[in-house]
Amino acid sequence: MHDFRALRADPVVFDEDLARRGLPAVSETLLSYDEERRACLNELHQKQADRNNISKQIGQLKRDKEDSSALEAQAIILRQDIDTLQTRADQLDRQIFDILASLPNRLAAEVPTGKDEAENLIVHYWGKTREFDFTPLQHFELGEKLGLMNFNAAIKLSGARFSVLCGALARLDRALGQFMLDFHTNEHGYEEYVVPLLVNEQTMFNTDKLPKFGDQSFCTKDERWLIPTAEVPLTGIQADEIINFDQLPIRRTALTACFRSEAGAAGRDTRGLIRQHQFYKVEMVSVTAPEESENEHERMTRCAEQVLEKLRLPYRRVLLCSGDTGFGAAKTWDLEVWLPGQQAWREISSCSNTRDFQARRMNARYRPKAEGYKKTSPEFLHTLNGSGVAVGRALVAVMENYQNEDGTITIPEVLRSYMGGLKKIG
């Protein structure tokens, strides 16, 4: 959600920010609605005062047993005018709210302007891509040859974009999630949470998933939503809370199933684990004071990078351009891992600073540190979220980078204790 005062203060810059995302100007429309709304409210307050005054006069006339019918007629007209003005003010409020709710976050100044992912900025690479003396297979070819990945069974159970893992691959998938949770809680200071996988509509709206992404999420018959990411409940906890400065930063993590309808993804990644309706992900969420959010964004991204470094998986960091930055983000770092079977870099983590965008939607505030004896008023928090990382895509990356010519898969050293000492799947 946006600060309307900032729009009033500089509507030209507000529209320029939208233009960077390829969106049309809206400030003129919003300001005209706002001007009419304030005029309605001013007239409404005046007529309410007039009505109160007339009510007092009517009361006095009745006490004096005099005729009050003329004033009562005026009171009826005033009530009708007040109802009309209130209805119109409410309509304008709703129109302003709906437009603001549909607008994406304002971008950080350093986000490069661009149309799509082709114009993202590669910042750095880590690790060396492996040179194979055989043609590396894609993960689904490896999994099916090992008999540990069954897509036909998943189609029978649920349809396309689902998978069934078994045996050592199922254990490797679990090991990855447990390793990431342990790493973030023990080394990075995140507190582990177990959260609902079903949330209400307000929680989805608070974390900017509605109304924009309603067609990309699953809704139950009783109007609860399956979470597309643990960011939704982990951040949503903060709704309508006011906390003290000394409680910040708050860092939360969770390993959950995530559910996405993948609307608009027809024909993309139809085989394998890259784009599924159900997948597991370790999520990181931070809640900070505004002046700390940029540093926290860098810290969070490094936490995700270190997961890949521990797994010895080559990756690169990418700053998303304006056309590829998500709806709620002011700035996003993507981490892309190298997949030798695909001969491609694929996103495995996305770390975003939403600044006060989500906090305004959910009314999440804090009391700044007091200066002397002066009391401070609550201000909006900044929220950040990041994949730490996507478990299924990490499984894909491990399988493809650690595959052997005979079809076996070497287990990264950091995961072997989670695999009961197993060194190889085959």
Side-chain angles (χ1 to χ4, degrees):
M1 213 63 175
H2 295 277
D3 181 358
F4 204 91
R5 292 171 302 177
L7 187 153
R8 280 199 201 106
D10 202 336
V12 173
V13 171
F14 189 89
D15 286 339
E16 287 174 349
D17 283 352
L18 292 179
R20 294 184 66 202
R21 288 184 181 266
L23 296 174
V26 297
S27 64
E28 185 177 348
T29 299
L30 285 168
L31 291 173
S32 68
Y33 287 160
D34 182 53
E35 184 179 357
E36 184 184 350
R37 182 186 67 87
R38 286 189 288 170
C40 279
L41 291 175
N42 287 337
E43 189 176 353
L44 176 65
H45 296 154
Q46 182 58 55
K47 287 186 180 291
Q48 286 172 334
D50 292 343
R51 181 190 60 184
N52 292 338
N53 185 44
I54 287 176
S55 294
K56 290 177 184 178
Q57 293 180 53
I58 291 171
Q60 186 61 50
L61 288 170
K62 286 185 175 181
R63 284 191 294 272
D64 295 341
K65 297 183 178 181
E66 295 182 17
D67 182 21
S68 62
S69 58
L71 287 177
E72 288 176 0
Q74 288 183 43
I76 291 172
I77 294 171
L78 278 172
R79 279 198 298 272
Q80 292 172 343
D81 290 345
I82 287 169
D83 288 344
T84 300
L85 287 167
Q86 186 65 66
T87 298
R88 181 55 180 159
D90 290 343
Q91 287 174 343
L92 290 164
D93 255 338
R94 189 71 221 181
Q95 286 175 299
I96 292 170
F97 179 87
D98 288 345
I99 292 173
L100 289 176
S102 72
L103 298 177
N105 201 351
R106 300 178 72 170
L107 296 166
E110 62 271 25
V111 171
T113 300
K115 292 183 180 179
D116 52 36
E117 62 184 18
E119 297 183 72
N120 291 340
L121 180 63
I122 299 170
V123 177
H124 67 241
Y125 289 83
W126 183 92
K128 186 178 180 181
T129 57
R130 177 182 166 190
E131 293 183 7
F132 291 82
D133 53 10
F134 60 93
T135 301
L137 300 178
Q138 295 196 54
H139 68 282
F140 50 82
E141 297 171 311
L142 287 162
E144 288 174 333
K145 283 189 174 184
L146 288 167
L148 304 177
M149 189 177 285
N150 191 332
F151 295 103
N152 289 331
I155 289 171
K156 178 170 64 177
L157 295 169
S158 305
R161 297 192 186 279
F162 289 92
S163 61
V164 171
L165 304 179
C166 63
L169 272 191
R171 185 167 186 176
L172 181 58
D173 186 80
R174 173 162 56 94
L176 282 161
Q178 296 304 312
F179 156 67
M180 294 173 202
L181 272 183
D182 288 347
F183 191 46
H184 292 315
T185 54
N186 296 335
E187 301 296 328
H188 297 144
Y190 286 86
E191 184 175 14
E192 182 178 353
Y193 279 68
V194 175
V195 291
L197 301 182
L198 287 166
V199 296
N200 57 37
E201 184 174 312
Q202 185 63 50
T203 302
M204 287 284 282
F205 174 84
N206 288 348
T207 47
D208 63 66
K209 304 302 177 282
L210 290 178
K212 175 70 174 176
F213 301 109
D215 65 340
Q216 297 181 29
S217 301
F218 292 105
C219 187
T220 62
K221 290 181 179 179
D222 64 354
E223 297 185 349
R224 291 185 176 90
W225 293 80
L226 287 164
I227 62 170
T229 164
E231 168 206 341
V232 173
L234 288 176
T235 309
I237 290 169
Q238 216 58 46
D240 298 315
E241 299 284 333
I242 300 176
I243 60 176
N244 291 323
F245 177 85
D246 57 11
Q247 294 175 264
L248 300 173
I250 295 170
R251 298 182 178 117
R252 302 178 177 129
T253 188
L255 168 61
T256 67
C258 304
F259 305 89
R260 298 182 188 176
S261 70
E262 294 297 344
R268 298 180 62 189
D269 303 305
T270 53
R271 293 196 67 188
L273 304 178
I274 293 293
R275 199 177 296 276
Q276 298 262 286
H277 289 314
Q278 174 187 312
F279 59 95
Y280 287 85
K281 180 158 64 79
V282 172
E283 187 72 4
M284 304 176 291
V285 159
S286 294
V287 179
T288 75
E291 62 270 20
E292 294 298 326
S293 69
E294 187 59 32
N295 289 336
E296 186 68 18
H297 192 197
E298 177 62 27
R299 182 189 188 276
M300 175 182 282
T301 308
R302 278 298 299 144
C303 291
E305 286 179 336
Q306 288 171 32
V307 170
L308 302 178
E309 290 168 12
K310 286 283 186 180
L311 292 169
R312 310 300 297 173
L313 293 173
Y315 70 85
R316 65 185 187 185
R317 187 196 286 205
V318 178
L319 176 59
L320 299 194
C321 73
S322 59
D324 201 31
T325 300
F327 179 85
K331 178 181 176 180
T332 298
W333 294 114
D334 267 9
L335 303 183
E336 297 178 346
V337 69
W338 175 247
L339 300 182
Q342 291 191 23
Q343 289 290 296
W345 297 94
R346 298 302 301 264
E347 177 203 332
I348 195 169
S349 174
S350 190
C351 297
S352 297
N353 187 351
T354 73
R355 296 186 174 174
D356 64 356
F357 187 76
Q358 292 178 333
R360 287 181 180 278
R361 293 169 85 99
M362 67 177 69
N363 193 31
R365 296 175 292 167
Y366 78 108
R367 293 190 183 278
K369 195 172 184 179
E371 297 180 6
Y373 294 101
K374 184 180 179 182
K375 288 187 177 180
T376 56
S377 299
E379 296 179 7
F380 288 107
L381 292 155
H382 279 200
T383 60
L384 304 94
N385 61 81
S387 317
V389 295
V391 175
R393 294 195 177 195
L395 178 65
V396 170
V398 167
M399 290 175 69
E400 293 196 12
N401 281 278
Y402 282 85
Q403 64 180 291
N404 303 305
E405 190 172 8
D406 61 0
T408 60
I409 301 165
T410 300
I411 297 169
E413 287 189 25
V414 73
L415 297 178
R416 290 176 186 175
S417 62
Y418 294 90
M419 296 289 292
L422 190 68
K423 296 182 179 179
K424 187 179 289 188
I425 294 174

